[in-house]
């Protein structure tokens, strides 16, 4: 997984990854991916998946949902498109090239927005969260799964120390859960609904139907 922070670089990296991404990641990420999809599905019919990649998560969506997948990489999306056609994944209504920080989608169009194993790759995660917020209906959820570390304690110190080494081999190890939950708190419109445990975590941020008094 790359942590290159320029979009053209990111596209080049995923042009190569597109060829063998599924072979490496299909089992490894499955638990968190399925948990995130289940949470998104519980929110309603219209779901946006940002950084959908090769579409590993798409078979988990029931046929009565309407799922739009977007990704920076045309090459990854091509593989996702093949999957949708071969497996007749009728829940998927669109796949488009799009940057998480500039979504060409209308305001409040989705009941849930998911971003799986992508937030740590985005140059400005808060800007991506602002965009997720814009397209999400009140009462819906932002559901993020990724390699995320807890904010305090010995393990956070351990993973921070390891970050430069991990970055050299293309992994992000020091993206803290608090970066997401702090954003949610700052907006005044979100409640942190759930923070998962384990190496790959699912974080759910609920957009309140009305602002707290
Ligand atoms: C590690 S893959 C994860 C793919 C998929 N979500 C999964 O769980 O298997 C990261 C994906 O995020 C995409 N990506 C990276 N930066 C992005 C951005 N700024 N906007 C949209 N997609 C992005 C990459 O092209 C790649 O397909």
């Amino acid at each position: 997984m790359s942590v290159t922070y320029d979009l053209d670089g990111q596209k080049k990296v995923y042009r190569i990854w597109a060829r063998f991404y599924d072979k490496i990641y299909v089992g490894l990420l499955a638990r968190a991916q399925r948990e995130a999809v289940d949470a998104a599905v519980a929110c309603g019919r219209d779901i946006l998946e940002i950084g959908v990649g090769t579409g590993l998560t798409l078979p988990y969506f029931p046929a009565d949902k309407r799922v739009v997948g977007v990704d920076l990489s045309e090459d990854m999306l091509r593989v996702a498109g093949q999957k949708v056609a071969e497996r007749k994944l009728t829940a998927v209504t669109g796949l488009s090239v799009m940057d998480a920080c500039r979504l060409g989608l209308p305001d409040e169009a989705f009941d849930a927005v998911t971003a799986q194993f992508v937030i740590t790759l985005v140059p400005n995660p808060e800007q991506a969260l602002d965009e997720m917020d814009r397209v999400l209906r009140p009462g819906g959820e932002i559901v993020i799964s990724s390699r995320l570390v807890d904010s305090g304690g010995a393990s956070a110190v351990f993973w921070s120390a390891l970050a430069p080494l991990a970055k050299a081999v293309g992994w992000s190890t020091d993206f803290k859960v608090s970066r997401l939950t702090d954003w949610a708190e700052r907006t005044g419109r979100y409640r942190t609904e759930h923070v998962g445990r384990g190496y790959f975590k699912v974080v759910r941020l609920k957009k309140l139907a009305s602002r707290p008094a």
Side-chain angles (χ1 to χ4, degrees):
M1 247 175 255
S2 167
V3 287
T4 309
Y5 282 161
D6 74 279
L7 297 187
D8 284 338
Q10 196 77 249
K11 285 183 203 170
K12 279 185 196 141
V13 165
Y14 280 97
R15 182 169 305 151
I16 298 163
W17 267 116
R19 285 181 233 146
F20 49 90
Y21 182 88
D22 282 15
K23 289 188 183 66
I24 294 176
Y25 285 112
V26 69
L28 193 64
L29 310 180
R31 184 200 56 81
Q33 287 172 329
R34 192 178 272 276
E35 184 185 334
V37 168
D38 287 349
V41 159
C43 294
R45 190 190 69 164
D46 299 313
I47 298 161
L48 172 65
E49 171 120 9
I50 295 176
V52 66
T54 61
L56 276 183
T57 60
L58 296 177
Y60 301 145
F61 289 97
D64 63 340
K65 301 297 168 184
R66 294 287 169 272
V67 183
V68 173
V70 301
D71 199 285
L72 201 58
S73 164
E74 211 175 327
D75 300 275
M76 294 288 272
L77 280 180
R78 195 170 299 121
V79 181
Q82 283 161 6
K83 216 171 258 127
V84 169
E86 281 164 15
R87 302 196 199 176
K88 299 187 174 49
L89 303 176
T90 53
V92 182
T93 57
L95 293 172
S96 304
V97 175
M98 234 175 258
D99 175 9
C101 294
R102 287 173 209 81
L103 297 174
L105 295 164
D107 295 354
E108 298 188 1
F110 298 95
D111 298 305
V113 179
T114 75
Q116 305 219 40
F117 300 93
V118 59
I119 197 75
T120 61
L121 305 172
V122 175
N124 185 341
E126 286 76 13
Q127 197 182 339
L129 288 163
D130 287 345
E131 273 294 82
M132 294 182 207
D133 172 40
R134 182 181 66 72
V135 300
L136 182 65
R137 293 180 185 133
E141 285 188 16
I142 295 174
V143 183
I144 288 176
S145 66
S146 247
R147 168 66 195 137
L148 301 169
V149 293
D150 293 318
S151 304
S155 71
V157 174
F158 172 76
W159 288 113
S160 285
L162 213 64
L165 182 66
K167 196 168 177 174
V169 293
W171 281 82
S172 161
T173 61
D174 61 349
F175 194 104
K176 293 190 174 49
V177 169
S178 59
R179 190 137 183 204
L180 305 175
T181 55
D182 288 354
W183 172 88
E185 202 175 321
R186 272 198 307 277
T187 64
R189 291 189 305 282
Y190 280 80
R191 178 177 72 220
T192 299
E193 194 72 359
H194 171 81
V195 176
R197 299 171 67 84
Y199 190 77
F200 298 133
K201 291 182 177 50
V202 175
V203 174
R204 290 169 42 208
L205 308 174
K206 187 171 183 69
K207 186 172 188 173
L208 305 175
S210 56
R211 277 174 184 269

